[in-house]
Amino acid sequence: HNLEAFQSVFPGGRGSPANKMGAYLVRTEERFLARIHRQIPADVWVVNTLTWPAAVAYANRHDIPLVVQVCELEHMLAGLTPAQLEQLVRVPRLIIALSLPVAAMLRAAGRQDRMEICPPALDTAAIVARTPQAEMRRRLGIAPDAFVWAMAGTLTPNKNPSLFVDLAERVIAARPKCHFLWIKGGDGID
C-alpha cells in the first residue's frame, strides 16, 4: 500500500534493509488497523490527524465512514506522497478544520465541500495575564526592549522543535537581544 513511498525515501531495491523495514512497518500498521476494526466495530472512524494516511486508506478500502480533524498546515504534510495527500483530502466523509488557515490549505488542495471550521476555543482578547509582562520579563532575565518569540505545545515531530532551535540560533546570531521560549504543554516528550 505505502511501499512505493518507502522505496522513494529509502532507495536500494526491494531487498535493501531499509525497504524490508518499511514493508514490515506497513504490514504492522495494517494488522493494527485490522485488529481495531475487528475488535471495536464502529459506525464511523474519527481520526485526529491528517498525517496518518494508512488509517484513511484502510477506512476507504473497507468502506468505513471517516471523519478527520485537521490541525496540520502544509509544511507538516511534506512527508506525504501526492497520492496520499489526494486521498486524505478526498476520502473523509467530513473534515473538521481547526482554523481558517487549515481550511484554506485544504481548499487549495482540492477539498471544496463537507468541511466544517472549528471556531476558536479561546477569546484571546479576554485573556488577562496574572503576572504583568514587565515582571515576567524580569523573572526570565529578558530586557524590556528585547524581542521574544514563544512556542507553546508538546515536543512532537509535528511541531518540528529542531527547526525552532535552528531558527532561534540564526536569529540570535544576527540579533542577540532576541529570546526564544518553548512553553511545554501536556504529556509529550520532554
Side-chain angles (χ1 to χ4, degrees):
H1 305 283
N2 293 331
L3 292 179
E4 22 345 298
F6 283 111
Q7 289 174 351
S8 65
V9 174
F10 302 112
R14 288 178 90 72
S16 73
N19 277 322
K20 286 180 182 178
M21 179 55 75
Y24 172 77
L25 292 173
V26 167
R27 288 190 304 271
T28 300
E29 191 173 43
E30 184 79 15
R31 284 193 303 268
F32 168 77
L33 292 167
R35 189 177 82 223
I36 294 296
H37 187 206
R38 277 191 317 274
Q39 291 178 353
I40 310 169
D43 294 328
V44 175
W45 277 13
V46 178
V47 177
N48 190 24
T49 179
L50 191 64
T51 59
W52 195 14
V56 176
Y58 186 93
N60 190 40
R61 283 193 313 278
H62 296 277
D63 296 319
I64 301 167
L66 186 67
V67 174
V68 178
Q69 176 180 302
V70 183
C71 65
E72 297 86 5
L73 291 171
E74 190 171 359
H75 68 278
M76 297 175 181
L77 307 178
L80 302 176
T81 67
Q84 288 170 329
L85 181 58
E86 186 274 330
Q87 186 173 39
L88 290 168
V89 169
R90 178 184 47 79
V91 168
R93 185 173 281 186
L94 173 67
I95 291 181
I96 302 169
L98 294 185
S99 69
L100 291 171
V102 169
M105 183 261 316
L106 291 167
R107 284 190 191 101
R111 184 67 177 222
Q112 302 305 319
D113 61 353
R114 299 174 291 131
M115 180 168 52
E116 297 292 331
I117 301 168
C118 188
L122 297 173
D123 177 3
T124 55
I127 297 173
V128 178
R130 289 182 278 170
T131 305
Q133 181 180 2
E135 172 61 16
M136 187 59 69
R137 283 176 175 264
R138 187 193 65 72
R139 288 182 191 178
L140 295 171
I142 299 173
D145 62 337
F147 176 80
V148 178
W149 181 336
M151 172 65 184
T154 55
L155 292 171
T156 64
N158 272 356
K159 301 272 193 295
N160 203 349
S162 61
L163 177 61
F164 181 82
V165 171
D166 290 345
L167 289 173
E169 287 175 345
R170 290 180 189 179
V171 172
I172 291 170
R175 297 182 65 197
K177 288 185 81 173
C178 291
H179 294 266
F180 287 76
L181 305 173
W182 191 294
I183 304 164
K184 183 201 174 287
D187 293 329
I189 302 166
D190 292 319

